[in-house]
Amino acid sequence: RQTGGLGTKLDLVRAQRELADNEGRLARARIDLTTSREVLGVLLGSDGPIDVTGVPEFGALPAADALEKTLEGRPDVAATQARVTLATRAVDQSWTDCLPTAGLLVTPTAQSPATPTAPALGVSAQVMAQVVAFDGLSRSGVRKEREAALVAARAQADEVRQRATSELRLAFEVLALREESARAAAASAKLALEAEALARAAWKEGATTNAELIEAERSARDAETLAEAARTSEWSARLDLLVAAGRRPAP
């Protein structure tokens, strides 16, 4: 355009600056892509970089209206609840410490030759019973330790459950917002492609210049890039929801 007398030096400088910016973005994008491939190769134990294509499969996601059921499926929540159950049982069965203890000792014998007082084969049994009348309050101390352990287990279970509930609520909310963002970005990319097609048709008819067509193509490219980034963010939110629910993606 400058050579034909339709552009100025300022237009040329602006175009050169935009070209330099785009080349910088392209270099940074290549760096990110190369780094991601190398990181994936290390994670999968490969000797070189790994590239992937396609849409990841996450399997069935937990339902937002089944929060309690999803919480029960988390390993950390189940583990802390099991500790509470065991601590409760230990406290409830503390009365068994006051029961007497009994033991049975059986000793087989063999002798050759046999005598009138000692047969060739025999068995002697001894039953022993023990009742503790005074233990220096050790049993009551053990019970108090068990009660303290029960209180600690309940506090830990409440803390883990509260944190898990918060993580799940946040994961559901973030996924809903990112799905909405992905739909909006996809609609914007579709409209940008339609605008590009209209600009191309107008350029072919001579109604606009190629600069306007290039601007429409750039807008369509940027919209498609944003739509892809929004879809990636949605995938990340789905994975975060599975992690918050204590599940794994489908193999």
Side-chain angles (χ1 to χ4, degrees):
R1 289 174 61 86
Q2 185 188 28
T3 303
L6 300 177
T8 64
K9 180 67 175 180
L10 178 60
D11 295 331
L12 178 59
V13 172
R14 287 174 177 174
Q16 289 174 343
R17 190 207 63 178
E18 185 175 354
L19 175 61
D21 291 342
N22 288 330
E23 289 177 344
R25 292 194 190 99
L26 178 60
R28 289 192 295 270
R30 287 175 176 171
I31 292 173
D32 294 338
L33 179 59
T34 303
T35 303
S36 299
R37 288 170 175 170
E38 290 291 344
V39 170
L40 182 58
V42 172
L43 291 176
L44 297 181
S46 175
D47 295 334
I50 294 180
D51 197 2
V52 293
T53 57
V55 179
E57 295 292 338
F58 296 98
L61 295 176
D65 55 352
L67 184 61
E68 291 297 326
K69 183 179 180 181
T70 305
L71 282 175
E72 297 300 330
R74 280 187 54 137
D76 53 349
V77 175
T80 54
Q81 188 59 40
R83 294 191 187 98
V84 172
T85 302
L86 291 177
T88 303
R89 184 181 302 174
V91 173
D92 295 339
Q93 294 181 355
S94 295
W95 60 272
T96 58
D97 295 339
C98 300
L99 295 178
T101 58
L104 176 62
L105 178 61
V106 178
T107 305
T109 60
Q111 181 175 320
S112 179
T115 63
T117 59
L121 297 176
V123 177
S124 61
Q126 184 180 7
V127 178
M128 296 174 293
Q130 182 181 6
V131 178
V132 179
F134 180 73
D135 59 356
L137 302 179
S138 63
R139 284 176 289 189
S140 61
V142 171
R143 180 181 176 87
K144 290 181 180 179
E145 289 181 354
R146 293 171 180 170
E147 291 174 350
L150 175 59
V151 173
R154 287 175 177 173
Q156 183 182 11
D158 292 340
E159 179 184 1
V160 171
R161 191 176 187 88
Q162 182 180 10
R163 185 175 66 252
T165 303
S166 176
E167 291 176 357
L168 275 173
R169 285 199 304 263
L170 179 61
F172 280 122
E173 186 68 20
V174 170
L175 177 58
L177 293 176
R178 289 189 176 178
E179 286 178 344
E180 181 180 356
S181 176
R183 289 192 296 268
S188 176
K190 182 178 179 181
L191 293 175
L193 289 175
E194 293 179 1
E196 178 191 357
L198 293 175
R200 186 177 299 277
W203 173 72
K204 289 182 179 180
E205 296 295 332
T208 59
T209 63
N210 60 343
E212 296 177 354
L213 175 60
I214 291 175
E215 180 64 25
E217 291 176 342
R218 182 178 62 179
S219 298
R221 178 205 64 191
D222 293 343
E224 287 181 327
T225 303
L226 292 176
E228 189 67 24
R231 186 172 64 165
T232 303
S233 298
E234 180 187 354
W235 293 344
S236 178
R238 290 177 179 270
L239 180 59
D240 292 340
L241 177 57
L242 288 177
V243 173
R247 301 181 184 178
R248 294 182 178 180

